[in-house]
Amino acid sequence: MKIDSTQPLEYSTEQNRLNILGFWIFLGAEIMLFATLFTSYFVYENRTGSGPGGADIFEITPVLIETILLLTSSFTIGLAIHAMRIQRTKAMLGFFAITLVLGAAFLGVEIYEFIHYYHVGATLQTSAFTGILLTTLGTHGAHVMFGLFWGIFIFIQIKKQGLTPQTANKSFIFSLYWHFLDVMWIFIFSFIYLKGMM
Amino acid sequence: MEFFERFAIPHPSPMIYASMVAIGLVTIAIIVGISYFKKWGYLWNEWLTTTDHKRIGIMYIISALLMLFRGGADAVMMRLQTAVPENTFLDAQHYNEVFTTHGVVMIFFMAMAFIIGLMNYIIPLQIGARDVAFPRLNALSFWLYFAGAMLFNISFVIGGSPDAGWTNYYPLASTDFSTSVGVNYYNWALQISGIGTLMSGINFITTIIKMRAPGMTLMKMPMFVWSALITNIIIVFAFPVLTIALLMGTFDRQFGTFFFASENGGMDMMWANLFWIWGHPEVYILILPAFGIYSQIIATFSERNLYGYTSMVVSMVAISLLSFLVWVHHFFTMGHDAMTNSIFSITTMAIAVPTGIKIFNWLLTMWKGKIRFTTPMLYSIAFIPLFTIGGVTGVMLAIASADYQYHNTMFLVAHFHNVIIPGVVFAMIAGLIYWWPKMFGFMLNEKIGKWAFWFIVVGFCFSFFPMYITGLDGQARRMYTYSEATGFGPLSMLSFFGASLLAAGFAIIVYNIYYSFRNAPRNIGDDPWNARSLEWATHNPVPEYNFAVTPEVVSSEALWDAKKRGHNLFKDKIEKIHMPNNTGWPIIMAGLFFVFGFSFVFFIWAGVILSGLAILGCMAYRSFEKDDGRYISVEEIKETEDKFGGANE
Ligand code: HEM
Ligand SMILES: [Cu+2]
């Protein structure tokens, strides 16, 4: 494998460069996936049938906590990649771990939120509106969950193998994924929660 | 016992029992055959675990041909049933199942697979690459497609086929009206193979952007590569919409949500919209690669550079953008205001403009060319007028007010078969014949090939042109029978006659493969068609590393200019070549996806959870696996090249 040392580690082999481009294209597909969910959400937003509407069930506190947790985790994964670039493996692992812990906390609060919806009578089977709300949030949450496991695997690999072109490449791609989930959350926050509560 | 009752067919008939027996016997025969000839090891090591784009391409094409025969059998059954008025060969329910599986099999499992198969084989060769960007992912794509196809195909013997049309409109597809598990099969089979397609899309875009031979700028790519690039971009943007639509459909049918219901806020038109936002781009996913194939073939057999290269590219880009802006033309009659219909009417007609430009470019390529009437060229020549007729009737359908007359009649059926058969199917046959020597090292017999061509072209015309007339007379599509008084009888009989000719044409192609395999000479050299692009600059059949030396390109007709102007394509000397290793994980994961889909179809939650966990386990294993591939040594390359009669240095 040819290693080009003028490039940052994550870009240093041909396969690494292919992986990163491929992942960007994958994110393009993910954008379409979420765009379809958002479009459907807007269509069903006021089609609440006999169930509650957004203003009836949204609670600002858990949503704000989730937002802060996820935004911070996006910041810390950025720091992790920065640490990786300057070859500080320990610092990188630290920030990586913080990111994952924040992600797990986010999921915890989201699960609490879902239980709340269940108790106020907003389930998948209540109306088209609650259905699409939970499907959209659930798709995002499932992505975060998937990311957590993936992140843990990468964490273990860096711990074992140190920073190699492969592990650096994986971490960088993971950070793209994580930022992407953050951006999607900002859309969810603004166009589902804020708009719904207004 | 109760557990097994769910697998019973809701609407059995002797034919279905007969096919159950046939499937059972064929499976046993295959297993016994492979064991008897001790081919399991060969099959596993050389094919099932391969990551070679060429072998994956061939597996796609073989599967597509199998699906062509499955879908073709459906088609013949439909034409047989409607050949005479008041026929009782199929009853209404069976007819519904047959037209549904025909559409799904042909679009998803035949046409898509054929196209992706050809792209797999040809694209890396045309850009002078060693493989695709992600060879393992490529294998996974294929096996997911295959798992989806198999899942779909067992539906008619286990639990019942889907019966709501390939468009699967709600409320018809809801549990109120489609009570069997058929539509669940539809959802999961398409979901699983759709994931595979999406990954192929990502793979090919990366490959084409990053792995072209030195000197091959974007505007020097062969036209098939351009068409593949644009097609795959459409795939990446269109398929996620289908993913979500199928997910919502699954939730409605299996978890009792109300997305496409008529109560509690649901909206059945939402499915139609999402389906066609994916569906219309899908028809261009099928046709653009076909355009690319015709461009290669017409230029080769006219012995001229493709006319209007830039305008070809620009019109494909225009088509790809417009293809996302026309979906409403599939339901002009379903309650929009005049303004909406007018806008989508105009965008639809606008697509005919770039399409027309391409038609003229092909004609002008042939103009003053030295045309060689080979079989692939015959298909390409027949494509031009026939496809144009299909395009013209498309523009007729695009007139929203007039569409109230044609919509969901046989006229529509005639339109889309008129664009898909001369457009897509002819291209696939022509491409297969054209690239056959590349794949297998011998040519298909031209004389038999031309017989098949005439059967297929004439058969096509007789099958589908009568439908334009009965459609205008008001014959609705998807009706299992009609009364004598309608007067549709004679033309329907003619259509059945045409379908028989088509079937005979395909049978002749199969015979041709057998005949040529036995009799065709193997010493055909590297460039039997006197072709123009890079894939013909290496040997037939292609060695596993594709090119002993990476080619360097100076023009869009790389090989032609090398031959005529004496460019040297291979300047470097031979070096060791890096290749990906084989891997069993893709087929294992796809098998798990099959179990997952099957369990979900039947609400077997234990199966869903176990296979789901196993899939995640595979991913985890893959994450930790280290696999840097292997190298082919210089000696080995030299030896192989010598066998082919010397290296292309
Ligand atoms: C000039 C280009 C074309 C135009 C203007 C056009 C227009 C239309 C319109 C307006 C409809 C809907 C009619 C109705 O439901 O009443 C339609 C249906 C359809 N077209 Fe085209 N079309 C064109 C090219 C193509 C091509 C190239 C393909 C495929 C390769 C294609 C495949 C189909 C299919 C599959 C359907 C409908 C299937 C169904 O409802 O089951 N069309 N077309
Ligand atoms: Cu369309």
Side-chain angles (χ1 to χ4, degrees), chain B residues 280 326 329-330:
Chain B
H280 191 87
V326 299
H329 69 215
H330 291 277

Side-chain angles (χ1 to χ4, degrees), chain A residues 1 15 18-19 21-22 25-26 29 32-33 36 40 43-44 47 50 124-128 131-132 135 153 157 170, chain B residues 133-134 202 205-206 210 236-237 240-241 244 248 255-259 264-267 270 619-620 623-624 631:
Chain A
M1 199 146 317
Q15 190 63 45
L18 293 177
N19 291 350
L21 177 67
I25 298 168
F26 171 73
M32 279 307 290
L33 191 97
T36 311
S40 309
V43 169
Y44 291 126
R47 302 179 69 96
S50 51
L124 266 182
Q125 291 91 349
T126 308
S127 68
I132 194 70
T135 306
F153 297 153
Q157 287 170 41
K170 288 181 185 185
Chain B
F134 311 113
I202 295 170
I205 299 177
T206 316
K210 282 272 191 188
V236 166
F237 282 99
V241 182
I244 294 298
M248 289 162 78
F255 298 138
T257 55
F258 294 96
F259 294 124
N264 268 329
M267 194 195 316
M270 193 61 188
M619 291 180 174
S623 170
F624 285 100
Y631 282 95

Side-chain angles (χ1 to χ4, degrees), chain B residues 394-453:
Chain B
V395 176
M396 287 172 70
L397 287 160
I399 306 169
S401 47
D403 190 47
Y404 280 77
Q405 174 69 17
Y406 324 126
H407 180 58
N408 275 356
T409 65
M410 293 309 274
F411 188 89
L412 165 72
V413 176
H415 155 68
F416 70 75
H417 285 87
N418 201 163
V419 278
I420 290 180
I421 294 179
V424 185
V425 177
F426 283 14
M428 294 180 317
I429 305 173
L432 187 65
I433 300 172
Y434 180 62
W435 283 310
W436 187 273
K438 203 72 294 213
M439 297 178 190
F440 301 106
F442 62 93
M443 321 253 306
L444 290 177
N445 185 287
E446 280 282 292
K447 197 157 166 222
I448 306 177
K450 284 177 187 167
W451 272 102
F453 165 77

Side-chain angles (χ1 to χ4, degrees), chain A residues 10 69-86 88 91-100 102 171-180 182:
Chain A
E10 69 270 20
L69 288 172
L70 207 61
L71 285 184
T72 318
S73 78
S74 199
F75 179 61
T76 53
I77 193 72
L79 291 178
I81 296 303
H82 181 69
M84 178 179 96
R85 281 260 168 95
I86 54 177
R88 302 263 302 268
M92 167 180 187
L93 282 176
F95 285 124
F96 214 107
I98 297 174
T99 307
L100 295 178
L102 289 170
S171 316
F172 183 74
I173 288 175
F174 175 79
S175 80
L176 292 180
Y177 180 76
W178 203 258
H179 290 311
F180 166 78
D182 204 39

